Amino acid sequence: ARSPDDLRWMTPPPRAAWRAAELLLTQWGALEPEGALTPLGRDLCALPLPPRLGVLIAGAPPEDRALASDIAAFREVGGAAPD
């Protein structure tokens, strides 16, 4: 969907929130400026994570994805570092 009007909502999001989300996703490289998904954007769609955490993992080089996953999990639960 390239516009909130393209979807059926019980309560549509404010247009400013939609635009802010589009801007962030474009800055992160998940959306093209015209709104099409990039390869990173398609990867994000496959992850059951909030976009910020998905970008951390999917945007990491393959050799660093395990570490990125650990950081995302730590960030999500807000736990203390292990001893």
Side-chain angles (χ1 to χ4, degrees):
R2 297 199 183 185
S3 161
D5 298 330
D6 294 341
L7 300 170
R8 293 180 53 188
W9 302 89
M10 289 181 69
T11 304
R15 292 214 182 264
W18 184 275
R19 284 191 299 274
E22 284 180 319
L23 179 60
L24 275 176
L25 291 169
T26 301
Q27 289 173 342
W28 292 338
L31 285 179
E32 298 289 346
E34 69 278 355
L37 284 173
T38 65
L40 174 62
R42 284 188 287 281
D43 289 346
L44 291 180
C45 290
L47 295 174
L49 297 169
R52 280 183 168 83
L53 297 179
V55 167
L56 175 68
I57 295 169
E63 65 272 12
D64 293 333
R65 286 198 180 137
L67 175 60
S69 296
D70 290 345
I71 292 168
F74 180 76
R75 164 66 178 86
E76 190 67 9
V77 297
D83 292 329

